[in-house]
Amino acid sequence: MSARLGVNIDHVATLREARGESYPSLENAAEICLNSGADQITIHLREDRRHIQDKDVPIIRRVTKEKGKLMNLEMGCDPGIIEVALMHKPDWVCLVPEKREEQTTEGGLNLIDASHFQKIKESCIRLKDSIPNLKISLFVESDLPTLEKVCELGVGLVDAVEIHTGDYAIQYIAQNNVDSFLKEFERAKKFVEERGIACHAGHGLTNESVAPLIKKGLFEEYNIGHWIISESVFLGLEKVVRNLKELFEGNERL
Ligand code: PXP
């Protein structure tokens, strides 16, 4: 089976919010992605609501259900946003750190700090207790101390890690050597999978930078947004998603 492709459609909402218009339609975007081979729609409800709005969440939930595909809600541990998740019951929640001033999510969760660890643990418990069959992933860096803390939370509370690939992707695009990243990703995958936790990846990926990861069969799922929406300006959303899914599936046959 090929890796799952989660398409993050936040930046369709960024365009809409930039002019306060009702277009482009998030519903259409989700339908096109799912009809073109995406396995999942990912949206990030940020505290400042800069792109995705609360009203978008039930729409994406309905479309993913109708298509029999997955919905992944990325969110910080903010109590108001947890309430939105409880109301609309996504298939996956990906917990991420959130700073209002950041341009995008700038790194993984800090699980080493005891108070952050506790807050993340309490959020996982609240979400799992209230949403039947919910799966939770934690957006983290690939270092061993962090992964050990993930495993301390344990199977049952955490189903997957999503490894932050942003720094890797920057180095890849700059044509620098990325061997150390690939080695660390491999080590991370082995470490968590041996402990019953799945390994996903996301952030900053393009069709070029994702290719070596796919070829190595590193991750079970990839969440890709900014590049897909950017490339769609030239090629259209359907074609970009189709081509990417073909890349995923082509390597399955290698
Ligand atoms: N995964 C996580 C946890 C994210 O926060 C984001 C950005 O919202 C993505 C994946 C997608 O990143 P990008 O838009 O850079 O592809």
Side-chain angles (χ1 to χ4, degrees):
M1 231 185 25
S2 75
R4 285 197 300 276
L5 170 62
V7 179
N8 181 315
I9 57 172
D10 291 351
H11 296 303
V12 175
T14 301
L15 272 179
R16 182 190 64 191
E17 296 304 311
R19 292 282 294 265
E21 296 288 354
S22 58
Y23 62 84
S25 156
L26 234 64
E27 183 176 359
N28 284 354
E31 282 178 354
I32 289 170
C33 292
L34 296 175
N35 289 342
S36 310
D39 301 287
Q40 167 168 281
I41 298 298
T42 294
I43 52 174
H44 186 173
L45 186 61
R46 297 188 74 99
E47 283 174 32
D48 64 6
R49 306 299 198 268
R50 73 175 74 151
H51 37 56
I52 299 295
Q53 306 296 308
D54 294 31
K55 66 175 186 208
D56 297 321
V57 181
I59 293 170
I60 300 306
R61 177 68 290 195
R62 178 176 51 72
V63 173
T64 49
K65 268 197 175 152
E66 279 171 8
K67 304 272 175 199
K69 302 273 180 95
L70 301 168
M71 174 183 170
N72 176 28
L73 182 64
E74 294 171 353
M75 50 183 264
C77 293
D78 172 74
I81 294 179
I82 290 180
E83 288 310 313
V84 177
L86 298 188
M87 200 181 306
H88 301 296
K89 302 181 176 42
D91 301 290
W92 281 88
V93 161
C94 177
L95 289 179
V96 302
E98 183 149 335
K99 281 195 244 119
R100 273 168 197 257
E101 63 277 14
E102 67 192 355
Q103 258 190 336
T104 179
T105 313
E106 286 168 356
L109 289 164
N110 178 355
L111 289 159
I112 308 293
D113 177 273
S115 69
H116 281 124
F117 182 88
Q118 192 53 29
K119 195 168 175 193
I120 291 160
K121 185 175 180 178
E122 283 164 12
S123 303
C124 290
I125 292 171
R126 174 127 175 77
L127 287 160
K128 283 262 177 176
D129 278 354
S130 312
I131 308 179
N133 305 320
L134 174 72
K135 292 193 171 181
I136 295 182
S137 65
L138 301 183
F139 186 60
V140 292
E141 300 298 325
S142 49
D143 61 284
L144 224 47
T146 296
L147 299 177
E148 278 166 357
K149 294 304 276 184
V150 171
C151 295
E152 207 177 301
L153 288 168
V155 178
L157 211 50
V158 178
D159 300 278
V161 288
E162 182 171 318
I163 300 290
H164 175 220
T165 49
D167 297 330
Y168 154 81
I170 289 169
Q171 297 307 323
Y172 188 93
I173 295 298
Q175 298 188 329
N176 292 329
N177 189 304
V178 291
D179 287 354
S180 60
F181 284 100
L182 296 177
K183 271 201 196 101
E184 180 151 310
F185 292 163
E186 266 171 317
R187 193 184 58 173
K189 169 191 166 71
K190 187 165 183 287
F191 185 85
V192 298
E193 285 184 352
E194 277 175 4
R195 288 156 181 81
I197 292 174
C199 205
H200 303 170
H203 216 278
L205 293 169
T206 66
N207 62 335
E208 289 181 3
S209 55
V210 79
L213 309 180
I214 297 276
K215 202 164 185 175
K216 278 181 164 292
L218 267 174
F219 299 105
E220 206 170 289
E221 173 182 305
Y222 295 85
N223 287 295
I224 307 179
H226 189 258
W227 178 81
I228 291 178
I229 305 306
S230 302
E231 196 63 8
S232 301
V233 171
F234 305 111
L235 286 186
L237 190 52
E238 179 181 342
K239 194 153 186 210
V240 177
V241 174
R242 250 185 228 296
N243 290 349
L244 202 49
K245 190 62 190 181
E246 268 173 26
L247 176 88
F248 279 35
E249 285 169 352
N251 280 290
E252 180 197 340
R253 292 193 293 272
L254 285 178

